[in-house]
Amino acid sequence: MNPYVLTTLLSSLGLGTTLTFASSHWLLAWMGLEINTLAIIPLMAQHHHPRAVEATTKYFLIQATAAAVILFAGTANAWATGEWSMASVSDPIATTMVLAALSLKVGLAPMHFWMPEVLQGLDLLTGLVLSTWQKLAPFALIIQTSQAFDPFLLTALGLTSTLIGGWGGLNQTQLRKVLAYSSIAHMGWMIIVLQYAPHLTFLALLMYILMTSAAFLTLKLSYATKIGTLATTWSKTPLLTATAALVFLSLGGLPPLTGFMPKWLILQELAKQGLPFTATIMALAALISLYFYLRLCYSMTLIISPNTAASTTPWRTQTTQVSTPLALFTMMALGLLPITPAVTALLI
C-alpha cells in the first residue's frame, strides 16, 4: 500500500477514536465510530483476496448496522428527553438499543458470530488492529453510559461471552479464530464488572490489548496461522517459542503472569459485591479458555513435527521484521503482576 494512503488511513483511524473519546454528544460519537469503520475497511481489503473481501464486506455491514442503531437510539432518547447528551440517557428502550449496538460492535456474545469469520479473513497485522484499537471507541461509549444500563443485562452479556468465548475456541485449528474467541471471552470479563468498578473494566481492556498485541506479533514473526505450523517453530526460534507459550498462558490468566491481574481483581470485586455464584461461573469459564491456550502451548513446546508433514516446511531465512514492539509487548504481557498495587492506585 502507498505510504501516503496508509498514513492517511491510520490518521483517520486515530481521529475517529479520539473524536469518540472526546464526545459527550451522540451525533459526535456516532461520527467518530463511522470514521473509524471507514478508515479500517481499505486496510482490511488491501490484499484483494476473496477471503479478505468477504471479511471486509461482513465487517462493514455489521458495523454500519450497529452505527445506525446507535444513531436511532440517540434520536429516540433526544425525542424522549429533549437532550442529545450522553449523560442523560434515561429512556429504557434507547438504553437497551445502545447496549445491543455497542455489544455488536465489540463482538460480545450473543452478537459475536461475525468476529471469528472476519478475523480469519484478515492478515495478522490488520487482525491485531481489529482486535485491539477498534475496541477502544465502543468501550469508551460503554463506560461513559454504563450507569444507565440494566445490571441484569450486563451480567447476562458477561457470563454468555465468557462461556461462549471459552467453548467456541476449543475445537479450532486456525490461530486467528482461537484469538477471536479469546477476544470474546475477555470482553465478557470486562463487561461483567462494569456496573461495579468501571476502572477495572479499563484495566482489563488495557491488559487484554498488551497480551493480544504480544500474541499477534509473535504469530506474525513466526509466520504461523494454524496450530500445525506451531509444531515447527521450536527448532527455528526456541526463545520466541518459549515466550510465546508464556504469552498464551498469560492470556489464559495463569499466575504469576500479567493476565492473572485483571481476572483476580474482577473476581475479588464480584465477591465483594456479594456475587459468589457469578464469580464461580466466571472462574470456571476461565478454565475452559485455559484449555485451548494449553493446547497451543502443547503444540509449540511438546510436539516434534513429523518428518512427513502435510504442510510445506517454511524456509529458515533471516527475518527482516522489526522485533522491538514484540519484545516490549511480551515483556509487559509477562511481568506486570508484581506492580498490581501501583496500577490499581493509579486507576482508582
Side-chain angles (χ1 to χ4, degrees):
M1 186 178 274
N2 185 312
Y4 296 117
V5 175
L6 187 62
T7 308
T8 307
L9 292 173
L10 292 176
S11 305
S12 302
L13 210 57
L15 173 71
T17 307
T18 313
L19 201 61
T20 308
F21 278 176
S23 62
S24 58
H25 191 286
W26 279 115
L27 268 179
L28 207 60
W30 169 80
M31 210 181 297
L33 292 171
E34 284 297 278
I35 292 170
N36 226 348
T37 304
L38 293 173
I40 200 175
I41 280 172
L43 295 173
M44 293 169 79
Q46 64 181 313
H47 296 296
H48 305 294
H49 189 276
R51 285 301 298 267
V53 174
E54 182 190 336
T56 308
T57 310
K58 284 177 182 172
Y59 183 76
F60 173 72
L61 291 172
I62 292 290
Q63 297 298 312
T65 305
V69 173
I70 287 171
L71 189 59
F72 183 67
T75 312
N77 185 65
W79 183 271
T81 62
E83 284 187 48
W84 279 94
S85 169
M86 276 194 265
S88 61
V89 185
S90 54
D91 186 52
I93 297 172
T95 308
T96 310
M97 283 168 68
V98 166
L99 183 58
L102 290 172
S103 302
L104 183 62
K105 266 197 171 293
V106 293
L108 275 167
M111 280 82 79
H112 67 286
F113 294 100
W114 63 272
M115 182 85 183
E117 297 302 322
V118 167
L119 209 57
Q120 179 58 29
L122 305 177
D123 67 298
L124 289 164
L125 266 187
T126 318
L128 167 62
V129 174
L130 186 74
S131 302
T132 54
W133 186 264
Q134 290 297 90
K135 306 283 187 205
L136 292 175
F139 254 98
L141 294 183
I142 289 173
I143 291 171
Q144 267 184 286
T145 51
S146 61
Q147 298 311 312
F149 298 141
D150 179 16
F152 175 76
L153 206 55
L154 288 174
T155 307
L157 278 171
L159 288 172
T160 314
S161 296
T162 41
L163 286 166
I164 286 179
W167 203 257
L170 290 180
N171 206 26
Q172 301 300 332
T173 55
Q174 297 286 341
L175 294 173
R176 283 166 291 188
K177 282 194 175 180
V178 167
L179 286 169
Y181 281 108
S182 155
S183 170
I184 293 162
H186 278 90
M187 294 297 123
W189 279 90
M190 291 170 215
I191 214 82
I192 197 133
V193 80
L194 178 66
Q195 54 198 315
Y196 309 114
H199 65 277
L200 287 184
T201 298
F202 179 68
L203 173 69
L205 181 61
L206 200 63
M207 295 303 142
Y208 159 77
I209 287 173
L210 292 179
M211 294 182 293
T212 305
S213 300
F216 268 104
L217 291 171
T218 302
L219 298 180
K220 187 176 182 300
L221 202 70
S222 52
Y223 300 103
T225 53
K226 293 194 287 289
I227 289 184
T229 321
L230 289 179
T232 63
T233 54
W234 67 271
S235 57
K236 291 186 294 177
T237 48
L239 189 62
L240 184 69
T241 306
T243 56
L246 288 172
V247 165
F248 285 125
L249 291 177
S250 184
L251 270 168
L254 275 191
L257 304 167
T258 302
F260 180 60
M261 184 203 299
K263 286 187 169 61
W264 165 34
L265 294 171
I266 289 168
L267 288 176
Q268 188 181 354
E269 184 62 36
L270 289 173
K272 250 193 246 174
Q273 296 291 339
L275 298 164
F277 184 64
T278 309
T280 307
I281 295 175
M282 293 296 285
L284 291 174
L287 283 179
I288 303 173
S289 295
L290 186 60
Y291 176 79
F292 63 73
Y293 295 122
L294 282 170
R295 204 166 134 231
L296 297 181
C297 296
Y298 177 75
S299 300
M300 291 180 88
T301 55
L302 297 172
I303 285 184
I304 295 175
S305 183
N307 293 327
T308 53
S311 57
T312 312
T313 308
W315 287 96
R316 299 187 185 186
T317 52
Q318 283 293 321
T319 181
T320 55
Q321 296 183 61
V322 181
S323 56
T324 313
L326 171 61
L328 191 66
F329 280 118
T330 302
M331 193 173 67
M332 289 193 284
L334 301 183
L336 291 187
L337 188 67
I339 61 163
T340 304
V343 173
T344 46
L346 276 172
L347 288 171
I348 293 172

